[in-house]
């Protein structure tokens, strides 16, 4: 089974509007971490936001927030006030295990976000 | 934030030759680095985990004799693609785990990637 599922291969959003990128995950490990990365056309992976499985509150980092619904195993990324520079590929990722077990990252297939002026 | 560099950014080589890709942590020490490959329009797949001073751990299906990894210092890991073939053409990305006082335990930073084309 897929560990990370991103069902939106492509999304369009109008500049200054908010957009939600979907991510669901599958794990039986009670301890895990969820990540979102942005990959512009240059190829570099840019860390956006992190949510730990035991975190009580949804993570926020500036215009990025993570809508963490543990029972539904979803970790959707919300980008508020979209900017043209937000156009990129977005990857959801998961790391299983304890905080010291920093081995395998499972990445989703990505969502291509296009911000329209 | 922490910076991870890769060199070269692009390389074109002939089939049968070997190519070395360097991954450096520029302003921090990284005991653990990771190597990924990404085919066009696809996701990143972990190839191996590189540990300073010990042998790398390879993911299932990755040929360790073909993809040689050396983590000789706390700031440098290298990936050598031996006897490269056109099917090895891909985008190779390294990442490094940030550790130490003041860092968030989950921090991991990615290099800018190396695009390998084998002709």
């Amino acid at each position: 089974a897929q560990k990370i599922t991103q069902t939106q291969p492509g999304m369009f959003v109008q500049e200054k509007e908010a957009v939600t990128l979907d991510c669901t995950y599958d794990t039986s490990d009670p301890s895990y971490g969820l990540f979102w990365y942005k990959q512009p056309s240059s190829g570099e992976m840019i860390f956006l936001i992190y949510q730990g499985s035991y975190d009580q509150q949804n993570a926020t980092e500036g215009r990025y927030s993570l809508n963490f619904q543990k029972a539904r195993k979803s970790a959707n990324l919300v980008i508020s006030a979209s900017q043209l520079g937000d156009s990129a590929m977005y990857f959801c990722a998961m790391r299983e295990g304890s905080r010291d077990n920093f081995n395998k990252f499972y990445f989703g297939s990505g969502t291509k976000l296009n911000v329209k002026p | 934030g922490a910076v991870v560099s890769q060199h070269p950014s692009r390389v074109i080589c002939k089939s049968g030759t070997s190519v070395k890709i360097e991954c450096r942590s520029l302003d921090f020490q990284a005991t653990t680095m990771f190597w990924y490959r990404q085919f066009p329009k696809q996701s990143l797949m972990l190839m191996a985990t590189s540990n300073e001073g010990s042998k790398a751990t390879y993911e299932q299906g990755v040929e360790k004799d073909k993809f040689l990894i050396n983590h000789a210092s706390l700031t440098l890991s290298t990936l050598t693609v031996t006897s490269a073939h056109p099917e090895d053409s891909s985008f190779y990305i390294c990442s490094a785990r940030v550790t130490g006082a003041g860092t968030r335990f989950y921090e991991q930073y990615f290099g800018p990637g190396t695009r390998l084309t084998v002709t």
Side-chain angles (χ1 to χ4, degrees):
Chain A
Q2 291 272 13
K3 288 281 188 180
I4 294 285
T5 302
Q6 293 180 253
T7 57
Q8 307 153 312
M11 289 278 287
F12 285 90
V13 64
Q14 201 69 38
E15 191 179 9
K16 299 180 184 177
E17 291 186 351
V19 63
T20 299
L21 306 184
D22 295 341
C23 173
T24 58
Y25 60 93
D26 181 30
T27 181
S28 57
D29 197 317
S31 178
Y32 54 89
L34 297 159
F35 301 75
W36 277 92
Y37 287 88
K38 172 184 177 182
Q39 187 180 43
S41 56
S42 58
E44 62 185 307
M45 296 288 284
I46 302 168
F47 167 77
L48 296 178
I49 197 166
Y50 167 83
Q51 180 84 44
S53 59
Y54 294 118
D55 293 343
Q56 295 295 315
Q57 296 189 337
N58 287 346
T60 60
E61 292 275 357
R63 293 186 300 111
Y64 304 107
S65 60
L66 200 151
N67 185 1
F68 182 44
Q69 297 189 43
K70 197 169 182 177
R72 297 179 61 183
K73 292 189 175 179
S74 74
N76 299 339
L77 176 70
V78 180
I79 304 175
S80 62
S82 297
Q83 302 172 356
L84 296 178
D86 294 336
S87 294
M89 278 291 280
Y90 288 80
F91 290 99
C92 180
M94 177 176 69
R95 170 188 58 79
E96 291 176 316
S98 69
R99 56 188 287 164
D100 293 323
N101 180 18
F102 212 85
N103 277 347
K104 184 178 289 190
F105 262 51
Y106 298 94
F107 282 88
S109 54
T111 296
K112 182 85 166 75
L113 177 65
N114 285 292
V115 180
K116 298 187 291 184
Chain B
V3 178
V4 175
S5 71
Q6 279 184 244
H7 178 78
S9 57
R10 288 178 178 271
V11 58
I12 300 173
C13 71
K14 293 192 175 183
S15 187
T17 60
S18 295
V19 174
K20 180 185 283 189
I21 303 170
E22 292 185 349
C23 177
R24 292 182 185 274
S25 56
L26 296 185
D27 53 1
F28 65 99
Q29 293 185 332
T31 55
T32 305
M33 291 184 174
F34 306 88
W35 287 96
Y36 296 82
R37 68 187 297 181
Q38 184 181 28
F39 291 109
K41 298 185 179 179
Q42 292 189 25
S43 189
L44 279 73
M45 296 295 293
L46 180 65
M47 298 175 66
T49 302
S50 170
N51 299 297
E52 188 267 335
S54 64
K55 290 183 179 180
T57 304
Y58 290 82
E59 294 301 305
Q60 192 173 12
V62 177
E63 300 174 61
K64 58 183 178 183
D65 293 332
K66 181 169 185 59
F67 298 100
L68 301 179
I69 291 172
N70 186 355
H71 195 151
S73 77
L74 287 172
T75 59
L76 174 64
S77 175
T78 60
L79 168 67
T80 301
V81 183
T82 63
S83 187
H85 291 285
E87 57 264 31
D88 298 324
S89 298
S90 186
F91 192 56
Y92 292 87
I93 305 176
C94 73
S95 72
R97 179 185 178 186
V98 182
T99 57
T103 62
R104 295 174 291 190
F105 75 92
Y106 54 81
E107 287 190 54
Q108 182 175 214
Y109 290 88
F110 287 80
T114 296
R115 192 164 301 283
L116 170 64
T117 303
V118 184
T119 60

